[in-house]
Amino acid sequence: MVVDHHHFMGICLAESKKALDEGNVPVGSVVVQDGEVVGVGRNTVSSTTDPTAHAEVVAIRDACLKLGTVDLSGSTLYTAMEPCPMCCWAIKAARIDRLVLGARHAGLKRLDYGDYSVEALLAMTKQTLDIVTGVRVEECEAMRRSWSGHAASLQPPR
């Protein structure tokens, strides 16, 4: 089966735009299983006053609810922005096999994440995950930069 990463990242970008329009950080994610979208999420932290409502977590919750399971083995999670440590661990907890990334924290020169990367967290915890990078990076970076709170989010926490 040929997987169209470009197509699925396009869905993430559309969800990112919805998040932005709702006043949230513009990040969207989808969970794909057997070539079909089984979970969709976008960042809703501000609109739901839920600090855990990151796009990846919302997509995982949606997929688990629709499929009636907490085991998403065989699935791929697409996301417009490299997952934070919380989201990365949710991906591992859901047993998702593959992560397809758009923008990376290092590419955006974020200061608030220090040396963090998905690969660094996986190495530190001796975990594995198939990671695909370089999918629609420029569009994903532009979407993330479009958020008016972007400058504030790049400052180190106080």
Side-chain angles (χ1 to χ4, degrees), residues 7-19 25-32 37-44 53-63 66 76-84 87-88 91 96 99-102 140 143:
H7 168 73
F8 292 118
M9 192 60 74
I11 299 170
C12 293
L13 285 161
E15 288 299 313
S16 298
K17 177 69 168 95
K18 289 178 188 176
V25 177
V27 180
S29 298
V30 294
V31 177
V32 175
V37 174
V38 295
V40 178
R42 63 182 171 273
N43 183 296
T44 60
H54 292 198
E56 299 88 350
V57 171
V58 174
I60 290 167
R61 289 173 181 162
D62 188 46
K66 285 177 180 170
T76 298
L77 186 135
Y78 289 80
T79 188
M81 183 72 223
E82 181 175 9
C84 72
C87 293
C88 189
I91 291 164
I96 291 171
L99 172 64
V100 180
L101 301 172
C140 291
M143 177 61 70

